[in-house]
Amino acid sequence: MQDADIGERVGPHLAQLCGIGPGDRTVRVRGLLVDYLRNLIKDLPDEFLLVTVAAFGLNDTLRGPYLDARLAKVKDQIDREKRTVLRWLDKACLLLAQGAVERAEPERTAPGATGPWHTAELQASVVLDLPVPEVIETRRIVADQDDLEAVELSMTLEPPPGWTGEGSPRELGLDVLYGGLLAKRVMKSTRRVGFVLRLPHPLGRNKEHEYAVRVRFSPNQPIAPYYVCTPSYPCRLFRLRVRFGPERVPGSIWRLHEALATEVGDSPENRKQVFADPCGEVYSEFSDLVPRSSYGIAWSQDLSPVGGAGGRSPS
């Protein structure tokens, strides 16, 4: 728990369970993780409690850089041999993992439980071999409340040079093709733009609606070498097709699955390599997407330009 790089050691599953966000600092990450573990440990049998607290260094008097030293402090208190202590710790860790799965299961099986709506299916086509590359997203949503009138969306876009955030979404290359009207725009950061899409009519609970949007890349900006979906609410199915073109396939292409949003553009380690077909296309499917985790395709930055077009990478 006292590791200075604890944020790097927390994987996407654990981050999701603890409520750790991509931008959270080390102090907050440690605090959320400690609180989550303490709540889990409460459910352990009494004989495992002290061993587990010492193992994870959750008590001020049982902290230290080495596991053996922490366990040695409690061995005499529980009057057990080292082998017994380690066996108890193994069983305790298994019980903790089972408890974490049980707590997470309701969210997995009730996809709409975390928000006013969820995505039944998202289809995205990223076409990079056009004079002006573009993305078309078609999304089918399901209302999880009555009288749903609008949905909040966000995309990470590279704004054109000198853009102040006061212009229309069309200046960012964003158009609604069908299924609603853009009613409001909010700059959540210098690159992340939030939108409110007003639906044609209010949706009742469990009713579905489909809409489509298109993003045209700016001809003056380079294209980020990835395309990902990082859902705010659960998503049952994400279908992604990236077309590089037969003459423009990059040297390496990877599939991203449950990556932390902050790691999408990082080192290709721990990614699954995939390959384009003879048409220069890559297709991938993802199911039961976890909110705030990223899913998609990344590629090496040796993608040659077409007609001088550049762009931005929505997510």
Side-chain angles (χ1 to χ4, degrees):
M1 290 300 120
Q2 303 308 311
D3 193 321
D5 297 321
I6 192 170
E8 300 299 322
R9 304 186 65 168
V10 177
H13 291 288
L14 186 57
Q16 170 66 21
L17 291 173
C18 297
I20 297 171
D24 287 344
R25 296 186 176 183
T26 300
V27 173
R28 176 171 170 78
V29 170
R30 183 179 292 109
L32 290 172
L33 184 56
V34 167
D35 288 345
Y36 183 78
L37 283 174
R38 282 176 173 165
N39 285 328
L40 283 179
I41 288 173
K42 291 178 182 177
D43 298 328
L44 291 178
D46 290 343
E47 62 268 27
F48 293 163
L49 288 176
L50 190 56
V51 171
T52 310
V53 169
F56 288 101
L58 298 178
N59 187 301
D60 290 341
T61 62
L62 296 173
R63 289 179 180 174
Y66 302 109
L67 175 62
D68 284 346
R70 295 196 301 272
L71 293 179
K73 292 180 180 180
V74 301
K75 182 172 69 69
D76 294 336
Q77 296 181 46
I78 61 176
D79 192 24
R80 291 294 186 274
E81 296 295 327
K82 182 178 180 180
R83 287 186 303 174
T84 302
V85 173
L86 293 175
R87 187 169 66 251
W88 284 7
L89 178 57
D90 286 342
K91 291 181 179 180
C93 287
L94 178 59
L95 291 173
L96 289 177
Q98 292 172 344
V101 171
E102 290 174 2
R103 292 188 181 202
E105 192 64 26
E107 182 177 338
R108 289 281 193 168
T109 56
T114 58
W117 55 274
H118 68 273
T119 300
E121 182 176 354
L122 169 63
Q123 297 190 57
S125 297
V126 183
V127 188
L128 300 175
D129 64 341
L130 295 175
V132 178
E134 63 181 48
V135 175
I136 294 179
E137 287 189 357
T138 302
R139 188 185 297 256
R140 182 162 50 90
I141 65 170
V142 180
D144 292 308
Q145 67 177 42
D146 290 324
D147 298 321
L148 181 69
E149 298 182 345
V151 295
E152 293 186 14
L153 313 170
S154 63
M155 305 185 88
T156 300
L157 302 169
E158 195 71 46
W163 200 71
T164 63
E166 300 298 326
S168 70
R170 184 157 291 181
E171 293 181 25
L172 292 172
L174 176 66
D175 293 288
V176 178
L177 300 182
Y178 63 83
L181 295 172
L182 286 179
K184 184 179 179 181
R185 187 199 72 252
V186 178
M187 295 300 296
K188 296 189 173 183
S189 70
T190 55
R191 296 176 58 230
R192 192 159 189 81
V193 187
F195 300 95
V196 174
L197 182 73
R198 187 162 298 282
L199 306 180
H201 50 79
L203 286 184
R205 187 183 298 270
N206 297 325
K207 296 298 183 180
E208 295 188 353
H209 176 72
E210 183 177 285
Y211 67 87
V213 297
R214 178 184 62 194
V215 179
R216 290 186 172 181
F217 294 148
S218 165
N220 302 314
Q221 297 293 320
I223 299 172
Y226 55 83
Y227 181 91
V228 297
C229 172
T230 308
S232 298
Y233 304 125
C235 176
R236 293 178 185 168
L237 181 63
F238 174 36
R239 304 178 189 270
L240 173 62
R241 189 179 302 277
V242 180
R243 178 179 174 86
F244 300 101
E247 306 299 327
R248 304 179 64 244
V249 177
S252 297
I253 308 172
W254 302 278
R255 184 178 188 268
L256 304 179
H257 182 269
E258 284 195 32
L260 290 176
T262 54
E263 297 176 353
V264 167
D266 290 347
S267 167
E269 294 181 5
N270 301 320
R271 298 179 178 182
K272 180 181 179 182
Q273 188 164 16
V274 294
F275 302 92
D277 64 20
C279 296
E281 298 179 3
V282 174
Y283 176 79
S284 193
E285 288 187 5
F286 307 86
S287 59
D288 296 327
L289 281 67
V290 176
R292 296 182 294 278
S293 294
S294 295
Y295 304 77
I297 297 294
W299 55 89
S300 55
Q301 301 192 45
D302 53 356
L303 189 64
S304 59
V306 172
R312 48 190 171 263
S313 179
S315 63

